[in-house]
Every structure is written in C-alpha cells, then in structure tokens.
Amino acid sequence: MCGRYSVTHEDWSILDSWGIEVVREDSFAFSARYNMAPTQQAPVLYTTALKSPVSLGLFTWGLLPDTAYATINARAETLAQRPTFRPLLRNHRCLIPADGFYEWGKGRSPKVPHYIHMQNSAPFLMAGLHTRRTHPKTGAILRTFTIITTAANELMKNIPHDRMPAILDQATARHWLDPSTGVADALSLLQPYPAQMMQAHLVSAAVNNWRHDTPDCILPAERNT
DNA sequence: CCAGACGTTGTT
DNA sequence: GTCTGG
DNA sequence: CCAGACGTTGTT
DNA sequence: GTCTGG
C-alpha cells in the first residue's frame, strides 16, 4: 500500500523530456512536502478531453465517488471489476508526482517506517484515478484522487511489504495520460517497477506523525526501537 | 421498465 | 456505471 | 498510512 | 476495538 509519500521537487519541467508538456492551473500553488498524508491536497497531473498539454492541479488524496466513502488506494489487479473505479478508467486516469514514499514493515512491533525512492533520487510518477464531486450543500467542487497499487517487487518484499504504488516510467507515463489509450492498454501499464532502479532505507519514527513534515523525514535512521 | 443500491485496501 | 429488485 | 478520540441527560 | 481526521 501507499499511505504516505514525499513531493519535494517543485520544478517538473523534466517531464518535457518525457514527452509530457505540463501546464499549471492558474491557481496552482505548492511547496515541498516530506510527509504527504491522506485527506491532504497534492499535485496531480491529468488530461481533459484533448491530449496535450497536461494540467497540473491540486487534488485531495482519497477518492470520493458519489456513492461511497473515500479510498486512498486501488488495486491494479481488480480495478476493472470495481464499480467505483471501472467508470473512471477511460477518462479519469491521472499521475501523481512524487520522489519517494513510506512503507511500514509488517510483522514487527512497533512497525518500522522505511523510505523508498529511486537510486538516483529522480522524481517519479504514480498511476492514479481522479474524480470530481459537487458538495450537495455548498456546491463546491471537490476533486479527489486515489493511488493505484500493484504487487511488491523484490525490494519491497525485503522490507517486508506486499504492495507498492504503480510507478510509470518515461516510456509509459504519457500513454497512461493519453485519452486515446484504450482501457486494456492502460491497464497493461500497471506493473511493479524494477527493484534494481530503487532503494530503501530506515527512517525515524517521527514520520509516523503526519504533522512532522520536514526534510529530516527522509533521512536514513538507525534501527533503535 | 425505473428505482435504488452498490461501493476499498491492507493488516492482524 | 451497472446490477438487483419490484 | 498513523494519531487520536471515543462519552449522557436534562436543563439553562 | 473502531472510527474519524489529517
């Protein structure tokens, strides 16, 4: 699962070289986050009916459909069978910029938080779905998203953890966003990211508290509990 | 036929 | 959006 | 994901 | 233990 992550890059012009032209919404404002948590506002890349450019806007983490409670993750394997997610697969795919995420190793008590990131510290994109819902009373439009998870790669299994976010690379990211990509093709892009490209290390349990959102969240820590 | 319900993930 | 219930 | 709260009645 | 909140 992916229930906490970091977004410290504020410049996403690197995506130009990925073939993704990003345009920020007028109201887009964001500064580095080291401990992004569910229910908070996070940057999301999405497309509308037409292809490029891709928009960058703030969405609330936790997909809130018209008739269900919020979900922060969606399993790639069963996406097409879930009533909540299936309608969103064709026109509501999105990508969530990140540069690392946290997982708490299972089995140990207390659970030990790990930070997982690319070996070269490069930013990456997680696959997601988004939706839009009008508040029944205020009429305000609430935009929410969920992060798609897939099977763990070897790096994640060592933590140990069974799931990881579906990360898309340079070759597949723009296909996921492209409205002309069919549902079956889009689903085929959701695979575990190669473990050899990634790295993980222990971090301080201070990250457990979402209020702790500072650069030291991602620093390596000794096992001392 | 329409009305109304349905609805997630991951962990122990 | 789709399935179930009447 | 973890942290933190979680509780009643009647009366003003 | 379970639900809510961020």
Side-chain angles (χ1 to χ4, degrees):
Chain A
M1 165 174 235
C2 181
R4 218 71 82 75
Y5 66 97
S6 68
V7 213
T8 68
H9 291 74
E10 298 179 55
D11 177 14
W12 288 87
S13 56
I14 187 177
L15 293 179
D16 289 346
S17 64
W18 289 32
I20 299 175
E21 184 193 350
V22 177
V23 172
R24 296 177 179 225
E25 291 178 352
D26 291 341
S27 59
F28 185 84
F30 182 75
S31 54
R33 293 292 310 276
Y34 296 86
N35 200 353
M36 183 70 77
T39 73
Q40 297 180 339
Q41 299 264 110
V44 168
L45 296 164
Y46 68 100
T47 46
T48 49
L50 303 175
K51 280 178 264 185
S52 64
V54 171
S55 298
L56 178 62
L58 290 175
F59 287 60
T60 301
W61 186 7
L63 186 89
L64 190 61
D66 287 334
T67 58
Y69 38 83
T71 54
I72 66 171
N73 292 127
R75 294 177 67 94
E77 298 90 331
T78 53
L79 220 43
Q81 300 152 26
R82 292 283 176 270
T84 299
F85 304 133
R86 188 138 91 103
L88 303 176
L89 273 173
R90 179 162 294 282
N91 288 314
H92 294 268
R93 301 189 294 257
C94 64
L95 289 170
I96 299 96
D99 37 48
F101 59 93
Y102 301 96
E103 299 285 8
W104 283 257
K106 66 172 183 179
R108 271 184 260 281
S109 185
K111 291 198 267 187
V112 185
H114 296 247
Y115 184 63
I116 300 98
H117 58 101
M118 294 297 156
Q119 275 186 358
N120 61 4
S121 299
F124 55 86
L125 299 170
M126 302 184 286
L129 297 173
H130 70 89
T131 193
R132 187 180 280 262
R133 174 168 166 177
T134 306
H135 192 285
K137 289 181 180 175
T138 68
I141 290 176
L142 182 64
R143 302 189 301 178
T144 59
F145 73 95
T146 188
I147 297 174
I148 298 172
T149 63
T150 186
N153 62 21
E154 288 306 312
L155 181 83
M156 299 301 302
K157 287 177 186 170
N158 285 337
I159 286 181
H161 204 83
D162 294 338
R163 307 291 299 172
M164 67 183 290
I167 297 172
L168 299 189
D169 62 15
Q170 183 169 353
T172 56
R174 66 190 170 84
H175 293 309
W176 177 256
L177 281 188
D178 188 340
S180 68
T181 301
V183 170
D185 288 339
L187 287 172
S188 71
L189 304 175
L190 305 173
Q191 303 297 330
Y193 201 82
Q196 64 269 23
M197 301 289 290
M198 303 173 70
Q199 216 165 30
H201 60 72
L202 291 167
V203 292
S204 162
V207 77
N208 289 8
N209 194 322
W210 55 266
R211 277 174 284 238
H212 192 82
D213 186 6
T214 49
D216 60 304
C217 285
I218 68 174
L219 294 179
E222 298 301 321
R223 185 193 301 274
N224 55 13
T225 45

